[in-house]
């Protein structure tokens, strides 16, 4: 019998529905939930240190500042507790360095991290400098990391310089974009769910599709039926629980070989399609 393929969950910015996004509590919670794939957004500090933050502009005690204007030491003192969402619950939580996020992985060697480079840093410092600084930070964690960016020269440089697996965050879902990634041959293609038309099929190739902004199981399964390999969500807890429950309904009898992964974030697909090569 042909085995069912798997749809995997990515905790986008950690378990961000219940914790301040891109912070150590968010990433630790995702690991505690058993999530095996995590995406972290990265910008470069003024002194070249990668930090885990999405927006290029942040609120500091001195007002709104550009991330690239502050050193890593200054950024790690900036509050990231999101009091508008969580009140005082996470008071004292600050922007972490990328290396601090990756250090959490020492407890979970099976975890893969998608490290997504912010466009603002590339515009400010240039892709050569940004990628060089990022690769230096990733060296101790190399087997577990995938470099992702919307900037083609940046991801190409990451592969060329150090042989990292790469992911391209596509700007649109059209034939012009398809020509580019067929030439690039990335291991992963990242796509915002809102870019997908009403009628579509994700193009197959040596890459694997990661679709972002997936809130519910029904949407995740529909994406799987159209060729998605991974779904990224800020609500890793809720979607992970739903995927686990769904996977349990598909589990074969105990005396048969199971095609259901035993982690809480993987669910067998309802469609049987050829599997792209896994890294």
């Amino acid at each position: 019998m042909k085995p069912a393929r798997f749809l995997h969950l990515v905790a986008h910015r950690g378990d961000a529905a219940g914790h301040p996004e891109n912070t150590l509590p968010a990433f630790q919670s995702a690991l505690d939930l058993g999530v095996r794939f995590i995406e972290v957004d990265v910008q470069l500090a003024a002194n070249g240190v990668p930090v885990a933050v999405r927006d290029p502009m942040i609120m500091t005690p001195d007002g709104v500042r550009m991330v690239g204007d502050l050193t890593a030491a200054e950024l790690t003192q900036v509050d990231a507790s999101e009091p508008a969402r969580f009140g005082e619950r996470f008071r004292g939580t600050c922007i972490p360095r990328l290396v601090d996020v990756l250090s959490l992985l020492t407890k979970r060697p099976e975890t893969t991290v998608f490290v997504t480079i912010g466009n603002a840093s590339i515009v400010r410092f240039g892709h050569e400098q940004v990628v060089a600084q990022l690769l230096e930070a990733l060296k101790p964690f190399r087997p577990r990391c995938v470099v992702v960016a919307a900037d083609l020269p940046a991801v190409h440089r990451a592969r060329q310089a150090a042989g990292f697996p790469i992911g391209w965050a596509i700007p649109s879902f059209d034939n012009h974009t398809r020509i580019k990634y067929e030439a690039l041959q990335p291991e992963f293609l990242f796509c915002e769910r809102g870019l997908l038309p009403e009628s579509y099929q994700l193009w197959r190739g040596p890459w694997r599709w990661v679709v972002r902004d997936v809130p519910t199981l029904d949407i995740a399964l529909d994406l799987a039926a159209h060729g998605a390999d991974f779904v990224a969500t800020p609500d890793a807890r809720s979607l992970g629980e739903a995927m686990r429950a769904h996977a349990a309904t598909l589990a074969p009898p105990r005396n048969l070989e199971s095609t259901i992964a035993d982690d809480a974030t993987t669910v067998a697909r309802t469609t049987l399609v050829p599997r792209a090569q896994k890294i």
Side-chain angles (χ1 to χ4, degrees):
M1 183 193 305
K2 193 175 185 180
R5 292 183 58 200
F6 297 120
L7 178 67
H8 300 282
L9 179 72
V10 180
H12 193 189
R13 308 182 188 115
D15 181 21
H19 303 78
E21 66 177 29
N22 276 315
T23 63
L24 295 182
F27 293 118
Q28 184 62 61
S29 177
L31 293 175
D32 292 343
L33 290 171
V35 178
R36 294 179 54 209
F37 301 92
I38 291 171
E39 183 177 1
V40 53
D41 295 324
V42 171
Q43 301 280 355
L44 217 61
N47 58 336
V49 177
V51 294
V53 62
R54 173 181 59 165
D55 297 324
M57 301 183 71
I58 57 172
M59 179 60 71
T60 74
D62 298 324
V64 178
R65 299 286 301 277
M66 294 290 295
V67 170
D69 288 338
L70 302 173
T71 67
E74 292 171 323
L75 287 166
T76 55
Q77 299 302 309
V78 174
D79 179 79
S81 65
E82 297 188 49
R85 282 209 294 157
F86 301 110
E88 295 294 304
R89 179 181 172 193
F90 294 102
R91 185 176 181 180
T93 299
C94 296
I95 294 172
R97 299 175 304 164
L98 175 61
V99 67
D100 297 325
V101 176
L102 296 176
S103 293
L104 295 176
L105 300 181
T106 57
K107 304 173 186 177
R108 299 291 173 89
E110 72 278 8
T111 305
T112 296
V113 180
F114 298 109
V115 182
T116 300
I117 307 170
N119 282 339
S121 289
I122 294 172
V123 170
R124 182 175 186 127
F125 299 106
H127 71 268
E128 289 281 352
Q129 180 179 344
V130 173
V131 171
Q133 295 285 355
L134 180 64
L135 296 185
E136 184 65 27
L138 294 182
K139 273 184 181 179
F141 313 95
R142 189 180 187 282
R144 308 178 192 179
C145 297
V146 178
V147 177
V148 182
D151 184 79
L152 278 174
V155 291
H156 178 69
R157 181 60 179 161
R159 172 187 280 168
Q160 184 183 51
F164 269 82
I166 59 172
W168 183 35
I170 64 173
S172 58
F173 188 80
D174 55 26
N175 285 329
H176 182 65
T177 301
R178 181 178 183 177
I179 291 170
K180 289 183 178 179
Y181 65 66
E182 285 182 344
L184 180 66
Q185 298 283 294
E187 283 80 5
F188 297 89
L189 285 169
F190 282 68
C191 180
E192 297 294 336
R193 184 166 59 93
L195 293 179
L196 298 173
E198 288 188 11
S199 179
Y200 71 95
Q201 186 68 32
L202 296 174
W203 297 306
R204 306 311 305 169
W207 47 77
R208 306 180 76 189
W209 284 93
V210 184
V211 182
R212 291 175 173 146
D213 188 30
V214 179
T216 66
L217 178 65
D218 287 345
I219 292 174
L221 293 178
D222 182 68
L223 289 165
H226 287 83
D229 301 282
F230 298 78
V231 289
T233 181
D235 195 356
R237 181 180 297 275
S238 295
L239 186 54
E241 289 175 352
M243 291 173 71
R244 180 173 56 193
H246 180 74
T249 69
L250 302 177
R254 291 283 183 179
N255 61 335
L256 295 179
E257 182 179 357
S258 176
T259 61
I260 308 299
D262 60 2
D263 66 270
T265 59
T266 308
V267 58
R269 285 192 178 176
T270 55
T271 56
L272 300 176
V273 291
R275 183 167 187 146
Q277 185 176 358
K278 190 176 181 181
I279 65 165

